[in-house]
Amino acid sequence: VKGYLDLARLAASIYSEGLTNPITVVEDGAGYIVETGERRTLAHHLLRAVTGTDKYKAITARVMPERSVWRQASENNNRDDLNAIGLARQLAILLIDLYQDDADFDDYTDLVEPGGSDRPYYAQVADGVRFRIPRGQGEAIQRAMGLTSRRMFSAYRNLLMIPDSLWLLADTYNLTEGRIRDAIEAIDIYGWRDLEELDSDEELLVNIDAAIKAYKHAKQQEKEAKNNDAMLPIGNIAEFDQDRDMLPL
């Protein structure tokens, strides 16, 4: 719903003030492909449908000699709906571009099954040692992605190695990087043997939230125990959720 409302606001802005920032396109055979400005293009389609006039039949565009993932990253940086998984994809795309002459990357269609997780394609640059941020490129990547700290590079790169089921769930439900990180740490402790057998995303979310709650509770107990010069063992989810009907992890 929020996406539709944002598109409607953008259309209203273009209607009242005009298009202040032209889109960019690249040639594709006899036509063109939108490189940056997909939402502005959609807003024009919406305005044409609503107003019924040909004023919005065409849109001002700059024709670029070739596609640039860096321009696309800067465009995405201006959006507020790019979630943690989207930022992980963005980082991977920029790294693939930087290393395209030094590594043999598989094509998207060779790694991604129709309707399946696209994580395997982006995970080709998950190895931070082999595909470290090239010297002098850190600032460019940070600026293109709109990150406030370069420390976020490793945080988003780590998402490239999470289970496909968690990747899809996090993307669908816009889980934050912090919540995904908590889930990963909890899963490392409690395991996730039933992950692929759960019947619905809702059940999966319940299990993730239960694992995170148990993990944080255990960490708090451990901290308190250290303060008392004693160590308490980390328990299991059942100990912290006996009053809830939770699926076992």
Side-chain angles (χ1 to χ4, degrees):
V1 175
K2 182 178 182 299
Y4 292 116
L5 291 176
D6 289 341
L7 182 62
R9 293 189 185 98
L10 177 59
S13 174
I14 293 175
Y15 181 80
S16 61
E17 301 174 12
L19 183 67
T20 58
N21 186 20
I23 68 172
T24 63
V25 299
V26 292
E27 292 188 25
D28 181 48
Y32 298 91
I33 295 178
V34 175
E35 179 194 50
T36 64
E38 290 184 354
R39 294 177 67 248
R40 280 166 279 164
T41 303
L42 288 173
H44 261 65
H45 285 296
L46 178 60
L47 285 170
R48 187 184 182 193
V50 171
T51 63
T53 68
D54 288 337
K55 177 180 179 179
Y56 301 101
K57 181 178 181 180
I59 185 171
T60 305
R62 293 196 300 269
V63 180
M64 312 305 293
E66 59 183 4
R67 180 175 295 186
S68 168
V69 297
W70 297 86
R71 281 194 297 269
Q72 291 175 316
S74 296
E75 171 82 0
N76 289 335
N77 180 28
N78 294 323
R79 296 168 49 183
D80 60 2
D81 60 344
L82 202 62
N83 60 26
I85 298 300
L87 287 168
R89 289 191 186 101
Q90 192 69 78
L91 176 61
I93 289 171
L94 296 177
L95 287 173
I96 289 172
D97 181 70
L98 290 172
Y99 278 97
Q100 61 180 331
D101 295 330
D102 303 313
D104 186 18
F105 295 112
D106 290 325
D107 291 336
Y108 185 91
T109 53
D110 292 335
L111 296 176
V112 180
E113 297 290 335
S117 170
D118 59 354
R119 186 199 61 79
Y121 173 74
Y122 302 106
Q124 292 183 97
V125 290
D127 188 338
V129 175
R130 182 183 178 190
F131 298 107
R132 64 177 69 247
I133 304 295
R135 184 180 297 275
Q137 295 295 331
E139 183 178 349
I141 295 177
Q142 182 180 352
R143 183 171 57 252
M145 294 184 62
L147 301 179
T148 57
S149 170
R150 296 190 190 183
R151 286 178 293 182
M152 295 304 296
F153 292 160
S154 60
Y156 288 116
R157 193 200 291 266
N158 287 340
L159 298 185
L160 301 175
M161 298 180 284
I162 66 177
D164 284 330
S165 296
L166 180 55
W167 174 275
L168 291 171
L169 186 85
D171 194 27
T172 300
Y173 289 92
N174 295 319
L175 302 188
T176 64
E177 185 275 330
R179 190 177 179 194
I180 298 171
R181 182 173 5 99
D182 285 342
I184 293 170
E185 293 179 353
I187 291 164
D188 285 342
I189 295 176
Y190 301 111
W192 209 348
R193 59 181 180 272
D194 297 327
L195 175 62
E196 303 295 343
E197 301 175 3
L198 297 177
D199 294 331
S200 68
D201 285 349
E202 288 73 19
E203 290 180 352
L204 188 53
L205 281 170
V206 166
N207 278 264
I208 288 176
D209 288 339
I212 291 175
K213 179 181 178 181
Y215 168 73
K216 289 185 174 181
H217 186 93
K219 293 295 287 184
Q220 180 62 32
Q221 281 194 315
E222 181 179 344
K223 181 179 179 181
E224 293 174 356
K226 286 182 178 180
N227 291 336
N228 295 326
D229 295 324
M231 292 297 293
L232 295 178
I234 293 180
N236 54 49
I237 291 176
E239 292 180 44
F240 310 120
D241 294 284
Q242 291 177 354
D243 58 333
R244 297 179 62 184
D245 184 15
M246 290 295 181
L247 295 175
L249 290 176

